[in-house]
Amino acid sequence: MTHDRETDQTLRRYCLGELPRHQHRLIEKSFFEDDGLFDRLLSTEEQLIAEYVHGTLPERERLRFESYFLTTPQRQQRLRELSEAEAVNVVAPPVAPQSTIAPPGGGSPTLLKRLWAWLRNSSPMLQVAFAVITLAILGALWATFVRLSRPSPLAPEQAANPPSTPSPDVAKVQTPQQPDANNTHPTSTPQPSPRSSPPAKSPTPPPSPTPREYATPPSPTGAAVAAILSPGLMRGGSQVPSVKITTDTPSVLLRASLTEQKFALYSATLLDEERHQVRRWRARGPQGDAKVTTVVFDLPADGLSDGYYYLILYGVGPKGEAVKVDTYPFEVQRQ
Amino acid sequence: MLLAALRSDAGDGSAEYLRLRQKVVKFFEFNRRQFADDLADVALDRTAEKLQEKGQLETIQGFAYGVARKVLLEDLRRERKERKMLEALFRDLQLATDSHPVELRHECLMHCLAELPKDKGDLMLRYYEAGWGEKGRIAAELGKSDNALAQNIFHTKPKLKSCIENCLAKKLIR
């Protein structure tokens, strides 16, 4: 009898992971070879779950049960089954991510039921007070709803003065250093190549990328893709702009934005991710206004494959020497 | 083969097999493995293979325990390696490594790797799982230089980081 109790206690400690390692292994080896011991182990496990469900598990064992025993999905499932079968409300312990997912029909309805039961058993005065408070809360919520649903007096003004949008003829890939306000506007639009005839106006605007993507949309059939590139090998978590091209895209215009205009003429080379030279452009003058000055370099789209590229911009010095100005990284995505 | 070896006078061995399987599953459960059933299948398959190789075993139950123990150690090693990779990746992305439970971080990482284009997701995983010297092998396999591979990883990280941050934030709210 004493021996049995000792064995049960040992099995209990095994279930809760409280045995020293050598003893833990000994139990495991034994239950593989001894069916009787295995049955007792299963019933000990069931008993532990039942005690937990009924709340009769001693504090120390309960903590151990939650932190050690209940860490596998199978056991959490078993606990749920037993809880539901016995209609006992168990508060799921915060042991694993599974516990963050609310079980279907759990939580709030149980709480409401408890609240209702408590209210029914309470004094009439308390019931009246509860009703008044509830009505006051509902009234406040209703007033808030009515106030929020009224049209704002600012709305017409805002409609008359919409936030400025980029010029439709400038396609733009923004780097995160120069994001547009709130990242809400499309970061780019396709631009016709100066060599190609302008595309017919489409009644619907081209799809815009999601705010966190810095990408050109794929160009409509036959239209060139233009991208404004910002300088800098962005360290510390900025996203590289993407230039999305399709098989129909004839050419890509790379507009390298200048932080300051030091030179009258600029040349550039394009390197692939292996830093091999893909293309070299001759010197040309910058374009643009006081706000944004860019140097435009164009190349056929079929010369670009998927991957990262680096546009190296050089200023042409007074003696014709090339002075490195900046590096403009971007990614090409063929679609 | 395993069924035949477990066969007794009372039956065809299927009841004994199920019993053995239950023990192996429980063994993994008691060692807190998330996928006890899958590991039990691995252990029993290996037991059957060994049985086929050797022809006969003294006690199948005891042998199955030995195999299950080996599978457990392998799984623990895999988990340790995966955790190490996760920590390295989170450190590299400058994400806090102690702000969320490891399971949650793992879940978000896997979700976000799946969000990346397939080749990039696979590459990130391989890159961070690789030990010293193995990164060069990955680069060679892809026909890239070490530097180009590093650049590729460097450019993919910001996207992965923002996805993981969003995912973790959503999980916390939920």
Side-chain angles (χ1 to χ4, degrees):
Chain A
M1 191 67 182
T2 318
H3 177 71
D4 276 2
R5 204 176 300 149
E6 265 177 30
T7 308
D8 284 344
Q9 198 51 42
T10 307
L11 289 176
R12 210 175 160 88
R13 289 182 63 205
Y14 170 77
C15 288
L16 295 172
E18 291 179 333
L19 289 179
R21 193 176 288 181
H22 70 277
Q23 228 176 329
H24 185 94
R25 283 191 198 162
L26 194 66
I27 296 274
E28 283 170 349
K29 197 167 181 343
S30 305
F31 80 62
F32 266 79
E33 287 161 357
D34 182 349
D35 279 352
L37 184 71
F38 184 60
D39 286 335
R40 278 175 75 174
L41 180 65
L42 293 183
S43 71
T44 306
E45 189 187 17
E46 285 296 299
Q47 198 183 337
L48 268 174
I49 298 175
E51 283 179 33
Y52 179 76
V53 168
H54 293 127
T56 54
L57 211 55
E59 179 67 8
R60 187 188 59 79
E61 286 190 342
R62 187 184 62 78
L63 291 174
R64 195 69 196 160
F65 184 91
E66 287 174 356
S67 64
Y68 181 88
F69 186 89
L70 267 189
T71 47
T72 66
Q74 298 91 340
R75 286 170 173 173
Q76 287 163 5
Q77 175 64 24
R78 183 78 195 108
L79 179 71
R80 273 195 291 273
E81 283 168 7
L82 206 66
S83 308
E84 282 162 19
E86 303 202 4
V88 175
N89 301 314
V90 181
V91 179
V95 285
Q98 281 88 341
S99 61
T100 58
I101 298 162
S108 303
T110 316
L111 203 70
L112 283 174
K113 272 183 200 168
R114 277 189 193 171
L115 190 65
W116 179 242
W118 171 79
L119 204 62
R120 276 196 312 186
N121 297 331
S122 56
S123 68
M125 278 294 282
L126 208 60
Q127 286 174 356
V128 170
F130 186 82
V132 169
I133 290 167
T134 309
L135 282 172
I137 291 169
L138 285 174
L141 282 174
W142 175 250
T144 312
F145 172 73
V146 168
R147 197 169 55 244
L148 289 176
S149 57
R150 268 189 214 138
S152 163
L154 284 174
E157 258 181 66
Q158 282 170 349
N161 300 308
S164 61
T165 50
S167 168
D169 65 344
V170 177
K172 189 175 177 184
V173 175
Q174 286 176 322
T175 60
Q177 286 126 319
Q178 296 178 328
D180 62 329
N182 304 325
N183 267 347
T184 50
H185 305 307
T187 53
S188 60
T189 51
Q191 180 193 318
S193 161
R195 292 178 196 164
S196 60
S197 59
K201 277 187 181 175
S202 166
T204 52
S208 58
T210 55
R212 70 182 181 86
E213 277 184 331
Y214 300 97
T216 61
S219 68
T221 310
V225 168
I228 290 188
L229 307 175
S230 296
L233 287 170
M234 292 149 290
R235 297 185 198 283
S238 306
Q239 289 184 28
V240 173
S242 296
V243 178
K244 293 187 176 176
I245 54 180
T246 65
T247 48
D248 297 325
T249 308
S251 57
V252 176
L253 297 180
L254 300 170
R255 291 171 175 258
S257 63
L258 298 174
T259 44
E260 52 179 330
Q261 195 180 331
K262 282 185 185 170
F263 302 92
L265 292 171
Y266 292 89
S267 65
T269 54
L270 185 67
L271 308 181
D272 65 11
E273 60 183 28
E274 295 285 357
R275 306 279 174 159
H276 296 144
Q277 187 174 310
V278 177
R279 201 177 175 86
R280 188 177 174 78
W281 290 276
R282 286 182 185 169
R284 64 204 59 201
Q287 300 173 0
D289 49 34
K291 275 186 180 173
V292 186
T293 312
T294 60
V295 191
V296 184
F297 302 97
D298 66 323
L299 79 162
D302 57 12
L304 297 168
S305 52
D306 272 334
Y308 294 100
Y309 288 87
Y310 305 90
L311 181 87
I312 316 291
L313 187 71
Y314 299 93
V316 180
K319 292 175 187 168
E321 77 281 15
V323 182
K324 188 177 170 186
V325 176
D326 241 319
T327 302
Y328 298 75
F330 64 96
E331 184 187 13
V332 170
Q333 290 180 0
R334 295 198 78 96
Q335 293 181 332
Chain B
M1 186 77 179
L2 193 55
L3 269 182
L6 287 166
R7 193 175 293 150
S8 64
D9 296 338
D12 62 354
S14 55
E16 286 79 3
Y17 175 81
L18 288 177
R19 182 73 165 166
L20 178 61
R21 192 175 187 287
Q22 191 188 13
K23 285 181 182 179
V24 181
V25 171
K26 280 290 162 195
F27 165 80
F28 287 116
E29 272 185 34
F30 281 115
N31 283 286
R32 305 199 296 164
R33 299 292 88 203
Q34 298 286 316
F35 304 102
D37 276 291
D38 296 347
L39 292 176
D41 287 338
V42 173
L44 288 173
D45 284 350
R46 280 197 205 168
T47 307
E49 275 169 27
K50 280 283 167 203
L51 189 62
Q52 202 152 19
E53 272 174 32
K54 295 192 173 187
Q56 206 177 357
L57 296 170
E58 206 171 304
T59 64
I60 291 177
Q61 317 278 344
F63 189 79
Y65 166 70
V67 174
R69 176 123 211 103
K70 199 154 184 277
V71 172
L72 170 71
L73 292 176
E74 283 172 11
D75 196 54
L76 286 169
R77 249 198 310 273
R78 179 199 56 76
E79 192 181 75
R80 255 199 308 274
K81 198 177 168 189
E82 210 172 88
R83 197 164 286 210
K84 221 168 133 184
M85 182 271 287
L86 190 69
E87 300 295 317
L89 185 52
F90 267 64
R91 253 199 318 273
D92 211 19
L93 294 177
Q94 295 172 344
L95 291 164
T97 51
D98 54 357
S99 56
H100 300 81
V102 69
E103 291 85 358
L104 206 64
R105 282 187 281 145
H106 190 260
E107 202 182 318
C108 279
L109 173 66
M110 287 303 158
H111 163 77
C112 291
L113 286 173
E115 292 275 297
L116 291 174
K118 196 180 175 317
D119 55 332
K120 282 187 185 161
D122 292 348
L123 184 63
M124 287 297 275
L125 208 57
R126 283 186 68 195
Y127 189 82
Y128 281 96
E129 273 176 352
W132 285 109
E134 286 176 55
K135 286 172 182 163
R137 197 168 42 77
I138 298 174
E141 256 177 57
L142 296 169
K144 290 176 189 279
S145 65
D146 289 5
N147 189 41
L149 176 67
Q151 285 291 322
N152 228 304
I153 296 294
F154 173 79
H155 290 312
T156 311
K157 281 194 291 189
K159 209 174 242 182
L160 186 64
K161 181 181 178 178
S162 90
C163 174
I164 291 176
E165 280 173 338
N166 286 342
C167 172
L168 289 173
K170 276 183 198 159
K171 296 266 175 196
L172 272 193
I173 291 164
R174 187 143 55 98

